[in-house]
Amino acid sequence: FVLARDIPIQRVTLFCFGVPLLIVGATAAADFSAYKGKHYCRLEAPAYYGALIAPIMLVLAINAILLVKSLHTMHNRIKLQLNMAQTGTKVKGIVGLTFLLGLTWLLAIPMMDEAKLYFQYVFAILNTLQGVAIFVFQLVL
């Protein structure tokens, strides 16, 4: 994500801190007792779905739209250039982009069920391996 030079950093900072603050504030105002836990503060259902899953799904939907738009643009450029040698490079870029778009966040959805410990481990492992995957697909291959 590259910011345009004409957007002041104060606006970007306000957006980046303001949106999560609004989500947490609205959730706490609606049901403060949803924040509970014996050893740590975490959301319980149904607030979990509204305050965590809904924003994740929104971001993933936006990312999917951007991915499709990127694929469409890439396809049109390849057709215009008729240079199939760059196809492998483009595919590696798509794989790296998919990791960057955060598909591992889909694992946050089942973290409220009985198998939540399993999904928490898989989520943590896959998120830490994102950097490795990007390195491999962008630099090594």
Side-chain angles (χ1 to χ4, degrees), residues 52-115:
L52 183 66
I53 300 302
I56 288 173
M57 297 308 288
L58 177 67
V59 168
L60 288 176
I62 292 170
N63 288 343
I65 291 168
L66 293 176
L67 179 62
V68 169
K69 185 173 177 157
S70 299
L71 289 172
H72 181 69
T73 302
M74 182 185 78
H75 178 70
N76 287 341
R77 285 187 182 169
I78 288 175
K79 275 188 359 186
L80 290 176
Q81 295 175 354
L82 296 174
N83 186 355
M84 299 309 271
Q86 294 179 346
T87 304
T89 305
K90 301 292 184 181
V91 170
K92 286 192 295 186
I94 291 169
V95 172
L97 185 61
T98 302
F99 283 108
L100 282 174
L101 294 178
L103 291 180
T104 56
W105 282 95
L106 288 174
L107 292 172
I109 296 169
M111 280 193 200
M112 290 296 288
D113 293 334
E114 295 81 28

Side-chain angles (χ1 to χ4, degrees), residues 15-31 35 43 47-56 58-59:
F15 177 78
C16 291
F17 284 101
V19 171
L21 184 64
L22 285 173
I23 293 170
V24 171
T27 306
D31 185 15
Y35 288 97
L43 281 174
Y48 173 80
Y49 297 107
L52 183 66
I53 300 302
I56 288 173
L58 177 67
V59 168

Side-chain angles (χ1 to χ4, degrees), residues 114-131:
E114 295 81 28
K116 68 180 172 185
L117 184 62
Y118 169 76
F119 283 109
Q120 287 171 347
Y121 280 118
V122 172
F123 177 76
I125 290 167
L126 288 178
N127 273 330
T128 56
L129 290 177
Q130 277 184 344

